[in-house]
């Protein structure tokens, strides 16, 4: 090593071997440098004085050759790992090396083992379950030991409702569902793992609306979840957008963004003729088979009555909604007779563009077939189309 080029080469190898790897590539480079350092240390014949001292300390018993033979005969050493082969080569060279060379080789070996440990740690991180899966452990709850709140809402009830929806959709659960966040909140974030095959599962999340309506499902692979987690955006009829996420560390977010009209003045600003009719002349309650007063903002208005069946339109708040968020008004169309009634609602923005159809129910609530299909238009007109006999019988 007297040549200056060799000295610089040795220093460069030492720098690479003793550096702290931050990536798999740097760890592999450190391993190569450590192996090259070991190769630059050829075995030397020990000095006479050293031999005489070793003879005094340990009589010639061929201990080292016997150990080598035992290692060769070890049935578990048929296919040693690269790290183990490098370690053995380093040990073999150290037996005949000077003290300085032994110290250098030992440092290189430590660097090699450190690199191997880093790679093992990376492997564990890529294959072990992410912390987010702790929510599926027995007794684990994000909102308290009993899963309940002061208002009487319960995570267990929400999870049972979500499980029923998933079961009806033929989802095979591997874990969950678990409802995250405050039980009184609406919507709630629900997380679960679905079984894709005997060996493959996927982490998933969805939104639970109005304590019983599961929507906004999204899933990803196990590998993608460990690095990216899950994030989704769901729009509720154009009036609200929900942005929600579930991350590998177990944290989650759920934000509801208002995208449509909330106040009556904002609805009026859309210039929907049907709203003007609802506000101009509501139908007295004694003229209606059913009184639609709860949650009503404008109306109710009797749009048509045929053979004892009434169609009634109104603008309501969230109390009469189905699967709605917040307090956004919505147009609702109800159909009823003396046997019962049924209704459907849609967002203000959707009604202004498309109108809405009366719910498809057989005999309203009483069992007789409905003779008409009804569509309520933004102009305020109710369009009735008589059903064909075969269509009416199949309703």
């Amino acid at each position: 090593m007297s040549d200056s080029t060799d000295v610089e080469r040795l220093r460069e190898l030492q720098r690479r071997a003793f550096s702290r790897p931050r990536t798999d590539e740097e760890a592999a480079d450190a391993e190569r440098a450590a192996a090259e350092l070991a190769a630059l240390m050829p075995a030397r014949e020990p000095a006479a004085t050293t031999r005489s001292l070793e003879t005094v300390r340990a009589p010639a018993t061929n201990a080292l050759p016997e150990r080598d033979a035992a290692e060769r005969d070890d049935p578990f050493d048929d296919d040693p790992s690269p790290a183990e082969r490098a370690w053995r080569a380093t040990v073999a060279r150290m037996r005949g090396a000077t003290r300085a060379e032994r110290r250098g080789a030992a440092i290189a070996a430590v660097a090699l083992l450190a690199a191997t440990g880093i790679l093992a740690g990376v492997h564990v991180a890529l294959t072990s379950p992410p912390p987010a899966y702790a929510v599926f452990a027995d007794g684990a709850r994000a909102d308290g030991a009993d899963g309940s709140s002061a208002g009487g809402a319960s995570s267990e009830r929400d999870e049972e409702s979500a499980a029923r929806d998933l079961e009806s959709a033929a989802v095979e659960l591997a874990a969950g569902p678990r409802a995250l966040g405050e039980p009184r909140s609406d919507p709630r974030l629900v997380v679960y793992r679905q079984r894709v095959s005997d060996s493959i599962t996927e982490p998933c999340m969805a939104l639970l609306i109005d304590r019983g309506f599961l929507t906004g499902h999204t899933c990803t692979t196990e590998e993608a979840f460990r690095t990216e987690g899950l994030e989704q955006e769901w729009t509720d009829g154009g009036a609200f957008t929900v942005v929600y996420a579930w991350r590998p560390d177990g944290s989650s977010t759920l934000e509801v963004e208002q995208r449509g009209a909330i106040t009556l003045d904002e609805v009026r600003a859309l210039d929907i003729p049907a709203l003007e009719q609802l506000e101009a002349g509501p139908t007295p309650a004694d003229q209606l088979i059913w009184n639609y007063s709860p949650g009503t903002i404008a109306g109710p208005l009797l749009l048509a009555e045929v053979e004892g069946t009434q169609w009634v339109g109104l603008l309501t708040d969230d109390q009469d909604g189905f699967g709605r968020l917040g307090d956004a008004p919505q147009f609702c169309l109800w159909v009823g007779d003396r046997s019962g009634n049924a209704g459907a609602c849609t967002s203000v923005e959707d009604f202004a563009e498309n109108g809405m159809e009366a719910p498809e129910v057989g005999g309203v609530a009483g069992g007789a077939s409905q003779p008409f299909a009804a569509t309520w238009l933004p102009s305020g007109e109710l369009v009735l189309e008589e059903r064909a006999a075969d269509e009416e019988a199949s309703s």
Side-chain angles (χ1 to χ4, degrees):
M1 290 291 181
S2 58
D3 186 79
S4 60
T5 302
D6 292 340
V7 172
E8 290 299 323
R9 176 60 178 164
L10 179 60
R11 288 175 179 172
E12 173 64 16
L13 290 173
Q14 290 174 336
R15 182 192 65 78
R16 290 163 50 198
F18 306 152
S19 65
R20 178 176 296 178
R22 294 182 175 85
T23 65
D24 292 351
E25 291 77 9
E26 291 180 358
D29 183 68
E31 183 176 347
R32 289 193 298 269
E36 192 170 347
L37 274 175
L40 291 175
M41 301 176 185
R44 298 184 179 182
E45 288 295 330
T49 54
T50 303
R51 184 181 298 112
S52 62
L53 286 173
E54 291 177 349
T55 303
V56 173
R57 292 173 182 171
T61 59
N62 295 323
L64 291 178
E66 289 176 1
R67 181 182 178 186
D68 291 342
E71 291 174 353
R72 285 195 298 272
D73 294 337
D74 189 345
F76 297 102
D77 286 348
D78 291 340
D79 188 20
S81 66
E84 186 175 355
R85 288 197 296 269
W87 172 260
R88 290 181 180 180
T90 302
V91 171
R93 294 185 182 278
M94 287 176 65
R95 290 174 181 167
T98 64
R99 179 180 298 177
E101 289 172 339
R102 289 179 181 179
R103 183 172 62 250
I107 294 174
V110 169
L112 174 61
L113 293 177
T116 303
I118 290 173
L119 292 176
V122 170
H123 174 74
V124 170
L126 291 176
T127 57
S128 61
Y133 287 0
V135 73
F136 300 124
D138 292 341
R141 267 244 184 249
D143 48 53
D146 61 356
S148 61
S149 69
S154 167
S155 282
E156 285 85 348
R157 286 194 290 272
D158 287 346
E159 290 163 5
E160 290 171 1
S161 178
R164 285 193 298 269
D165 269 28
L166 292 171
E167 182 180 358
S168 66
V171 173
E172 184 179 354
L173 290 171
R178 281 286 191 261
L180 307 183
E182 169 59 44
R184 290 172 295 178
S185 64
D186 187 28
R188 292 196 72 184
L189 180 62
V190 173
V191 299
Y192 60 96
R193 292 171 65 202
Q194 69 174 4
R195 194 177 304 281
V196 179
S197 68
D198 291 342
S199 59
I200 300 176
T201 61
E202 291 182 341
C204 308
M205 65 178 182
L207 295 175
L208 186 66
I209 310 292
D210 280 355
R211 308 268 75 86
F213 175 56
L214 200 63
T215 186
H217 303 263
T218 182
C219 301
T220 190
T221 63
E222 297 277 2
E223 294 77 9
F225 181 75
R226 286 185 174 91
T227 57
E228 302 172 6
L230 274 169
E231 186 170 352
Q232 181 74 346
E233 182 176 294
W234 178 81
T235 299
D236 179 35
F240 289 90
T241 294
V242 184
V243 180
Y244 49 109
W246 183 35
R247 303 182 184 86
D249 62 2
S251 62
S252 61
T253 56
L254 189 153
E255 298 179 356
V256 179
E257 301 176 0
Q258 169 65 30
R259 294 295 179 88
I262 292 182
T263 67
L264 179 57
D265 286 341
E266 290 173 340
V267 180
R268 287 169 176 161
L270 298 177
D271 294 326
I272 304 173
L275 175 61
E276 297 177 7
Q277 295 177 9
L278 293 179
E279 291 190 294
T283 302
D286 59 6
Q287 296 181 24
L288 300 175
I289 297 175
W290 296 88
N291 184 7
Y292 303 94
S293 57
T296 299
I297 299 175
L301 179 63
L302 179 61
L303 303 173
E305 182 172 2
V306 178
E307 299 177 355
T309 299
Q310 293 183 341
W311 286 265
V312 178
L314 61 159
L315 183 72
T316 75
D317 61 19
D318 192 51
Q319 296 180 32
D320 278 350
F322 298 94
R324 297 287 304 163
L325 301 178
D327 300 317
Q330 52 200 320
F331 283 90
C332 299
L333 177 59
W334 291 79
V335 53
D337 59 16
R338 296 295 175 183
S339 301
N341 71 93
C345 299
T346 189
S347 69
V348 169
E349 290 76 14
D350 187 57
F351 180 81
E353 183 176 353
N354 305 307
M356 65 181 302
E357 296 181 355
E360 295 289 340
V361 291
V364 188
S369 298
Q370 291 184 76
F372 297 98
T375 302
W376 188 20
L377 301 178
S379 64
E381 179 185 4
L382 182 74
V383 178
L384 295 177
E385 296 182 7
E386 189 170 3
R387 299 176 185 272
D390 55 346
E391 181 183 357
E392 183 177 336
S394 63
S395 298

